[in-house]
Amino acid sequence: MSNLLGFGMARGLTENRTRNTLLVVVVFGLCSFFYLLGLWRRSGSGGGDRIQTWVNEQTKCVYLPNLNFETHHSASDLPNGTSNSEIKAFEPCDEEYTDYTPCQEQKRAMTFPRDNMVYRERHCPPENEKPHCLIPAPKGYVAPFTWPKSRDFVPYANVPHKSLTVEKAIQNWVHYEGNVFRFPGGGTQFPQGADKYIDHLASVIPIADGKVRTALDTGCGVASLGAYLLKKNVLTMSFAPRDNHEAQVQFALERGVPAYIGVLGSIKLPFPSRVFDMAHCSRCLIPWSGNDGMYMMEVDRVLRPGGYWVLSGPPIGWKIHYKGWQRTKEDLRNEQRKIEQFAELLCWKKISERDGIAIWRKRLNDKSCSLKRDNPEVGKCELTNDSDVWYKKMAVCITPLPKVTSASEVAGGQLEPFPKRLNAVPPRIALGSVPGFSVQSYEEDNKLWQKHVIAYKKTNNLLDTGRYRNIMDMNAGLGSFAAALESPKLWVMNVVPTIADTSTLGVIYERGLIGMYHDWCEGFSTYPRTYDLIHANAIFTLYQNKCKFEDLLLEMDRILRPEGAVIIRDKVDVLVKVEKIAKAMRWDTRLADHEGGPHVPEKILFAVKKYWAITEKSS
């Protein structure tokens, strides 16, 4: 990994004025010679490649910007204590913190009400209870298998929990074999494998032609549905609570499948409205018929117009399976009747029910649904804006769709099939629904991030090779970083901070990408060591008056795998402080100039988290 970070990164060097002047003269002269040499070579008079390479190696012209640092970005402009203060090295946490999830810890969860699964929702620790230490990897931790092998095999040492192999043995969730877990692709409703189950869905839903790109799997287990939908180029956001089904989301992420710790309880899902092409529940134990249909209304909120809802397991197929479910016919009949009534209220059309699987399709717009408009029992939800969901309570109401001029028009605009939609102008941009963004600025943002990613690859040539499967973008903007990286070898969790000036998450989903809202002053809803690479664009500037840099970096370290990489773009004064903290966390770092040159105040910090585990605490 040292080779990865050793491509002539610009470093902040402290030199005396005399030596600076001498170095400037010498390096300027040699670089001028190199420039003239390059002109001569391009003129066709000779081949100077080897000489050019030698001059570069001997002079390290990329160091020149640092000699100008004092001129363009004076240390006197840095915050008090930034350049001189020393950061004490962070100690490892105790072994009990190996699987620490700050906002879903069991002890704290059990102090909250069980009604509507409140106790399984996010409950973050107060400041005085945060552990200011480094979360250790378990003994024997190894790098995960690369995709697609990781879909089927996970090293036992990385997730040393066997309970699911016993609890779900006959359902083919996961098997323990020697020093690995094997995932045969089964699930509670598809013990024979996800492929056949998906083929059944594809016989009704247009999965294969790119019209279904983003899916939501509620109560996902080990996310085998999401894992196998990737073969159809469908990107699934899977979630499940941290409960007695030990480490199910951890298994999903270790397999290289998008997932987060979550539950459909009392607060809204961390997504804007109208973002998923399909939502799915396979015996997910969510009481769809309860709470006056509130959970179905929440699915309706996040489902695109014309999107699909799949429900398999109880009560669907009750006439055949009621004995195996150990429930009465009457109980199951009443449960399905209520679900059908709520679906009708939402103007969903049932398009299939066979083999224990029911599929509904959401209305295209509100104009075609007089029942929904005129029903006096259920009102319309009132949202101050599309992103007003973070820690907001769900309610028994129906989210209105954007207005249309005809009953055949798709509310909010028609999407292109994937992959064309990745770089097509998203309807939210085209319709002017995102303040501060136009078609022109969207296209410019795309080009800018393509340029940034090209520059990243010059430093980290493993970026899109499959070395990094699970990638986190902490401040995703329009999703252009993820779009520039798009590949079957990787996926990106695009996070839009809740304190961002503008909500752009809807645009990200309209591009066929996935992500969620999050406040980075709190722990992310994932297990430790679940991301291979973290990208952070201006996240420290955004949060500098909200929470401590130390807390942000400790959270990044928690979710980053050993030997994982970090790319941070920010202002130089911010990065000087960040780098000091990062080094105290056992990260190797290199500070680089912006690809636009040394006079650009934005810099890039590249880092790699060193490998260490419980047995190496003192290293």
Side-chain angles (χ1 to χ4, degrees), residues 521-536:
C521 288
E522 300 177 357
F524 193 73
S525 294
T526 191
Y527 284 84
R529 304 171 302 282
T530 45
Y531 285 87
D532 301 294
L533 185 145
I534 298 176
H535 180 256

Side-chain angles (χ1 to χ4, degrees), residues 81-112:
T82 297
S83 58
N84 298 317
S85 62
E86 292 297 327
I87 306 294
K88 183 180 178 182
F90 291 91
E91 296 295 327
C93 301
D94 293 337
E95 184 175 349
E96 65 186 67
Y97 284 94
T98 298
D99 292 329
Y100 178 63
T101 53
C103 300
Q104 287 95 3
E105 277 301 284
Q106 290 290 83
K107 289 182 180 179
R108 186 177 299 105
M110 299 308 292
T111 65
F112 288 87

Side-chain angles (χ1 to χ4, degrees), residues 159-217:
V159 191
H161 305 296
K162 297 181 182 178
S163 60
L164 284 179
T165 65
V166 178
E167 294 175 25
K168 302 295 182 179
I170 63 172
Q171 297 169 7
N172 265 342
W173 278 32
V174 55
H175 299 159
Y176 175 62
E177 299 176 355
N179 60 351
V180 299
F181 290 108
R182 182 174 65 86
F183 296 83
T188 304
Q189 287 301 119
F190 40 94
Q192 302 306 312
D195 278 333
K196 289 185 178 180
Y197 183 82
I198 291 170
D199 287 343
H200 178 118
L201 301 184
S203 68
V204 180
I205 302 171
I207 289 177
D209 62 2
K211 292 181 180 178
V212 172
R213 164 62 177 177
T214 56
L216 179 69
D217 191 11

Side-chain angles (χ1 to χ4, degrees), residues 3-4 7 456-465 468:
N3 291 332
L4 172 64
F7 291 89
Y456 290 163
K457 290 178 183 178
K458 290 179 180 178
T459 298
N460 186 340
N461 59 7
L462 301 178
L463 198 58
D464 59 352
T465 64
Y468 307 112

Side-chain angles (χ1 to χ4, degrees), residues 11-143:
R11 300 291 298 163
L13 303 176
T14 305
E15 302 288 344
N16 60 55
R17 188 175 299 276
T18 301
R19 188 178 177 188
N20 279 355
T21 303
L22 179 61
L23 282 174
V24 169
V25 172
V26 172
V27 174
F28 180 77
L30 287 172
C31 288
S32 297
F33 166 70
F34 161 74
Y35 174 73
L36 294 173
L37 183 65
L39 291 178
W40 170 66
R41 180 176 63 83
R42 285 192 294 272
S43 70
S45 302
D49 289 341
R50 283 179 293 178
I51 301 175
Q52 174 183 340
T53 301
W54 181 85
V55 172
N56 249 342
E57 287 300 313
Q58 299 304 313
T59 63
K60 295 293 184 183
C61 291
V62 290
Y63 279 77
L64 184 59
N66 298 287
L67 301 176
N68 292 331
F69 181 85
E70 195 170 0
T71 302
H72 302 290
H73 311 294
S74 172
S76 63
D77 296 331
L78 304 182
N80 292 336
T82 297
S83 58
N84 298 317
S85 62
E86 292 297 327
I87 306 294
K88 183 180 178 182
F90 291 91
E91 296 295 327
C93 301
D94 293 337
E95 184 175 349
E96 65 186 67
Y97 284 94
T98 298
D99 292 329
Y100 178 63
T101 53
C103 300
Q104 287 95 3
E105 277 301 284
Q106 290 290 83
K107 289 182 180 179
R108 186 177 299 105
M110 299 308 292
T111 65
F112 288 87
R114 298 200 173 200
D115 295 344
N116 292 333
M117 297 290 285
V118 169
Y119 75 120
R120 294 299 185 196
E121 294 178 332
R122 289 175 54 84
H123 303 291
C124 302
E127 183 64 32
N128 63 345
E129 293 183 18
K130 292 181 180 179
H132 291 275
C133 52
L134 304 178
I135 304 299
K139 180 180 178 181
Y141 180 90
V142 296

